[in-house]
Amino acid sequence: MGPSQPAPPAVEVRDLIKRYRKAKVNAVDGISLRVEAGEFFALLGPNGAGKTTTISILTTTLAPTSGSIRICGHDLARESSAVRRQVGIIFQNPSLDMNLSGEENVRLHAIMYGLYPYRPAFRLMPAAYRAQVRELASVLGMEADLFKPVKKLSGGMQRKLEIIRGLMHRPKVLFLDEPTRGLDVASRRSLWAYLREVREQYQVTMLLTTHYLEEAEQADRLCILNHGRIVAMGSPGEVMAHMADEYLELDAADRAQLRHELKVLNLQFDEDGMFKVRLDGRSAHEVIRSLDVPLTMLRTRQPSLEDAYLRILADE
Amino acid sequence: MNELYAIAAIAERDLMKFLRDRTRLIGTFVLPFGIMGLLGGTLQANLGRATGFNFVGFTFTGVLGMTIFQSTAGGMAWLSEDRFNDFAQEIFVSPVSRYSIVFGKILGESLVALAQAAPLVVFALVLRVSLSPEQIALMLPVAVISCLLGGSFGLVSMAMINDQRAANQIFQFLILPQFFLAGVFNPIGILPWYLEIPSRISPMRYVVDLIRGVVYTGHPEYHKVVLFDPSINLLVIVVMFSVFMVAGTALFVRRETNR
């Protein structure tokens, strides 16, 4: 590739379909998406939406039924070995060998990826390996735990260890399949702080699946899946703007009158201790001017990703 | 070279797992010793004179072949356990040939089996089984070849079964009859046709017979104990290993990805 040519997309998926054996419906039903190099992309959706199936196909552990996939310019069907060199994966379920120490797990990975020659002990490994492992461990603050048996490490530590392992071969794309599942709040925060640092330091493309909306909100772009199909895609701001309207929170001493006036104005609202009024394209100012009843409370609310997400799933 | 390093790393992992598993260590050492000492001794006392050969030596060679074959084949069940623990995913997303992964696994289980077999040889010497230094030296390559066949047999068996629990149960059905069909404890020189056929397709038979061929060479009982010429056993083992290895790896990888 010449110097003037742009880098190929990190992930390019066209018309991907996956139907499991004996299943009656497609787990992934014709999705197409493109993730640019360096982008942080999130796949969001309820259980069974097809997130893990998609990520399993993209990481070569599951064969697609049909469709084409390119990872960093490599065709996944024909160049799976090249694809594997480009990607790192943090699996949904812990994938560490519990019988080995943290460092032994990392060493096995490094040798499997052809980074260093096989040596039966840490001290016999090349100095570059020892330095790389120590550097990654220090960034994560787990130097002291690196040589402990994995089964003695906390869930958070095990996750960090998986990240160290996943980054050893300097992947261009890091797949994170619900990386914070089962972690407490403190571990989750610390892990994300580290992942942000990793992204800045290594310029790695990140493709995340998650149930946590606040995690997806950090992404450059996100894609909402439901029943194996893409139901929304764009930046978190775009998805929120398209899928959820700004709304007003109102209340009045005379609630019956307020309810009546809102109905007359043909505005949709929910009553939940107060009136949540959807603006449906009107401005807040216009709605308030139309009301005669004295208000005891008035608040404009920007929609959250959660609002958009719930509305999308409800519309489905 | 990277593939060789990967094979070595996978093999080392299995050996480490074995050496760190105290229960497995004790269990795998105690059982063959019990069988060899108790069964071999009992059979020798009651049948040794009638058959015209030493049953302790006969049982030793049988148990040695059985231990090597069963340990390596059974060790491949860890492929199922790894899948269950999701560790297999980590290995299978690495840019290493699937054949190297499976071969590394078989090699690792072979090291485990050899670690179990070494004390058996010492125990046989204690029981005064006649073994020359040359025979002991020759048993090493024979044991390695037998391990490879056991591992490839375990691979092809496991590759055909999805569920780990079912795999462990079905595996027992595949291994246990071979103890008798391969003549681990019992002579099988004469068998009715309906046992002769499964005996001939039992891979363990060729492992046990090859070991007996080595141990009984130069002994007057050779023709009473050994069924086939070692070269024939070796040929059958090579053919079986090649078929099991290719078919097993293809089946395993296909099943892993085409769910």
Side-chain angles (χ1 to χ4, degrees), chain A residues 18-21 56 59-64 80-82 84-85 87 89 91 93-97 99-101 104-105 107-109 111-121 165, chain B residues 2-14 16-17 20-21 78 81-82 84-98 101 162 253-259:
Chain A
K18 175 65 189 178
R19 181 176 290 200
Y20 286 102
R21 268 195 231 162
S56 298
T59 54
T60 76
T61 58
L62 187 65
S80 56
S81 191
R84 290 187 190 114
R85 287 183 195 283
V87 304
I89 306 132
F91 295 103
N93 297 314
S95 63
L96 295 164
D97 189 331
N99 298 287
L100 304 181
S101 73
E104 285 167 339
N105 268 282
R107 182 162 16 114
L108 177 63
H109 176 96
I111 295 167
M112 296 284 285
Y113 277 78
L115 305 176
Y116 299 100
Y118 165 76
R119 297 286 182 272
R165 188 181 64 177
Chain B
N2 286 346
E3 296 286 327
L4 291 179
Y5 288 144
I7 289 170
I10 294 169
E12 188 210 349
R13 169 186 169 251
D14 278 328
M16 297 309 290
K17 269 173 83 165
R20 286 171 187 177
D21 190 339
W78 290 101
E81 171 154 336
D82 280 348
F84 183 70
N85 291 331
D86 278 318
F87 181 69
Q89 286 192 89
E90 156 65 13
I91 290 195
F92 276 89
V93 294
S94 66
V96 173
S97 148
R98 312 303 73 178
I101 292 171
N162 266 322
V253 174
R254 199 172 136 223
R255 202 197 52 203
E256 281 300 296
T257 50
N258 293 338
R259 281 175 272 156

Side-chain angles (χ1 to χ4, degrees), chain B:
Chain B
M1 201 61 180
N2 286 346
E3 296 286 327
L4 291 179
Y5 288 144
I7 289 170
I10 294 169
E12 188 210 349
R13 169 186 169 251
D14 278 328
L15 187 62
M16 297 309 290
K17 269 173 83 165
F18 170 68
L19 296 174
R20 286 171 187 177
D21 190 339
R22 224 172 274 174
T23 318
R24 199 172 160 211
L25 266 177
I26 295 167
T28 47
F29 280 105
V30 168
L31 190 65
F33 287 144
I35 293 173
M36 219 171 98
L38 295 175
L39 197 65
T42 318
L43 289 172
Q44 172 59 20
N46 290 280
L47 300 170
R49 193 170 293 174
T51 53
F53 56 81
N54 186 312
F55 253 104
V56 177
F58 183 84
T59 312
F60 157 67
T61 48
V63 171
L64 184 67
M66 177 197 82
T67 303
I68 289 169
F69 185 87
Q70 187 192 7
S71 171
T72 324
M76 295 305 285
W78 290 101
L79 273 175
S80 297
E81 171 154 336
D82 280 348
R83 186 169 60 238
F84 183 70
N85 291 331
D86 278 318
F87 181 69
Q89 286 192 89
E90 156 65 13
I91 290 195
F92 276 89
V93 294
S94 66
V96 173
S97 148
R98 312 303 73 178
Y99 286 96
S100 296
I101 292 171
V102 169
F103 190 73
K105 184 78 194 161
I106 291 176
L107 195 63
E109 292 304 335
S110 301
L111 291 172
V112 171
L114 293 175
Q116 292 170 9
L120 271 177
V121 177
V122 175
F123 193 52
L125 292 170
V126 171
L127 291 175
R128 298 190 166 194
V129 173
S130 168
L131 290 171
S132 68
E134 293 80 18
Q135 282 172 321
I136 293 172
L138 197 56
M139 272 161 60
L140 184 65
V142 167
V144 171
I145 292 164
S146 305
C147 285
L148 295 179
L149 179 61
S152 63
F153 174 76
L155 170 69
V156 81
S157 309
M158 291 303 149
M160 288 189 287
I161 309 161
N162 266 322
D163 174 62
Q164 190 194 1
R165 193 179 293 174
N168 291 335
Q169 287 170 349
I170 293 169
F171 190 68
Q172 294 306 319
F173 278 107
L174 293 172
I175 286 285
L176 274 174
Q178 292 196 55
F179 292 176
F180 306 101
L181 294 168
V184 170
F185 324 107
N186 50 307
I188 53 165
I190 302 165
L191 287 173
W193 67 268
Y194 54 85
L195 290 179
E196 184 67 31
I197 293 169
S199 173
R200 293 248 175 173
I201 57 171
S202 159
M204 199 190 283
R205 171 183 173 135
Y206 301 95
V207 165
V208 170
D209 202 42
L210 183 63
I211 292 172
R212 284 187 178 140
V214 170
V215 171
Y216 282 90
T217 298
H219 286 248
E221 306 104 309
Y222 182 90
H223 291 290
K224 289 180 184 172
V225 175
V226 180
L227 301 168
F228 295 126
D229 188 82
S231 60
I232 294 174
N233 286 321
L234 198 59
L235 180 68
V236 174
I237 288 173
V238 168
V239 170
M240 280 186 168
F241 169 75
S242 307
V243 172
F244 291 164
M245 185 72 185
V246 173
T249 308
L251 275 172
F252 183 76
V253 174
R254 199 172 136 223
R255 202 197 52 203
E256 281 300 296
T257 50
N258 293 338
R259 281 175 272 156

Side-chain angles (χ1 to χ4, degrees), chain A:
Chain A
M1 187 188 298
S4 58
Q5 284 182 290
V11 178
E12 200 175 7
V13 177
R14 279 189 198 155
D15 306 320
L16 180 64
I17 291 175
K18 175 65 189 178
R19 181 176 290 200
Y20 286 102
R21 268 195 231 162
K22 296 177 188 168
K24 288 179 180 165
V25 291
N26 293 337
V28 173
D29 196 13
I31 71 169
S32 298
L33 55 89
R34 184 184 162 106
V35 180
E36 298 301 335
E39 199 176 5
F40 175 14
F41 189 88
L43 278 178
L44 203 58
N47 285 335
K51 307 185 298 291
T52 296
T53 300
T54 304
I55 222 166
S56 298
I57 294 169
L58 298 183
T59 54
T60 76
T61 58
L62 187 65
T65 304
S66 66
S68 74
I69 300 151
R70 294 186 83 82
I71 307 282
C72 301
H74 298 286
D75 185 282
L76 188 131
R78 287 182 291 114
E79 301 166 274
S80 56
S81 191
V83 167
R84 290 187 190 114
R85 287 183 195 283
Q86 306 290 338
V87 304
I89 306 132
I90 312 300
F91 295 103
Q92 190 178 97
N93 297 314
S95 63
L96 295 164
D97 189 331
M98 297 292 160
N99 298 287
L100 304 181
S101 73
E103 186 278 323
E104 285 167 339
N105 268 282
V106 174
R107 182 162 16 114
L108 177 63
H109 176 96
I111 295 167
M112 296 284 285
Y113 277 78
L115 305 176
Y116 299 100
Y118 165 76
R119 297 286 182 272
F122 177 72
R123 65 179 183 281
L124 300 176
M125 287 296 283
Y129 165 82
R130 286 179 277 143
Q132 192 185 351
V133 170
R134 286 200 172 111
E135 182 209 322
L136 283 166
S138 88
V139 174
L140 273 169
M142 63 175 301
E143 303 104 305
D145 298 306
L146 199 59
F147 296 94
K148 286 182 182 168
V150 169
K151 58 186 147 198
K152 291 193 176 168
L153 300 178
S154 68
M157 279 295 178
Q158 288 181 7
R159 270 311 198 202
K160 285 180 180 177
L161 186 63
E162 287 188 290
I163 293 171
I164 291 181
R165 188 181 64 177
L167 291 170
M168 280 297 289
H169 62 286
R170 304 266 156 87
K172 288 185 179 158
V173 187
L174 185 62
F175 290 94
L176 303 151
D177 192 7
E178 296 186 30
T180 54
R181 196 169 85 149
L183 296 187
D184 57 45
V185 178
S187 301
R188 220 156 66 203
R189 280 193 183 170
S190 122
L191 194 62
W192 272 109
Y194 174 64
L195 284 170
R196 274 190 286 274
E197 202 174 318
V198 161
R199 198 176 160 222
E200 278 167 25
Q201 202 167 335
Y202 301 105
Q203 306 292 310
V204 66
T205 305
M206 294 206 313
L207 199 151
L208 166 81
T209 74
T210 183
H211 279 301
Y212 298 109
L213 296 164
E214 68 269 24
E215 289 180 355
E217 218 160 356
Q218 307 300 314
D220 298 322
R221 281 193 311 134
L222 58 87
C223 168
I224 300 179
L225 289 179
N226 200 18
H227 304 304
R229 289 166 180 265
I230 293 174
V231 290
M233 186 152 59
S235 69
E238 284 167 355
V239 171
M240 285 187 276
H242 279 97
M243 303 308 297
D245 295 325
E246 195 180 5
Y247 61 91
L248 284 174
E249 287 178 352
L250 305 175
D251 210 353
D254 187 351
R255 286 187 165 179
Q257 179 62 24
L258 177 57
R259 192 177 298 117
H260 171 73
E261 288 185 23
L262 289 172
K263 281 181 181 168
V264 169
L265 289 168
N266 207 18
L267 286 163
Q268 290 187 45
F269 59 91
D270 298 316
E271 285 188 56
D272 181 19
M274 70 188 92
F275 290 77
K276 282 186 170 180
V277 183
R278 274 164 67 171
L279 293 172
D280 290 329
R282 296 184 220 190
S283 73
H285 178 73
E286 181 188 342
V287 171
I288 294 159
R289 279 191 58 184
S290 310
L291 294 172
D292 294 326
V293 64
L295 298 173
T296 55
M297 201 265 278
L298 164 63
R299 209 156 44 197
T300 59
R301 293 300 294 250
Q302 292 296 320
S304 65
L305 184 59
E306 188 174 319
D307 295 320
Y309 179 69
L310 291 174
R311 184 164 167 195
I312 288 163
L313 297 186
D315 289 349
E316 280 277 302

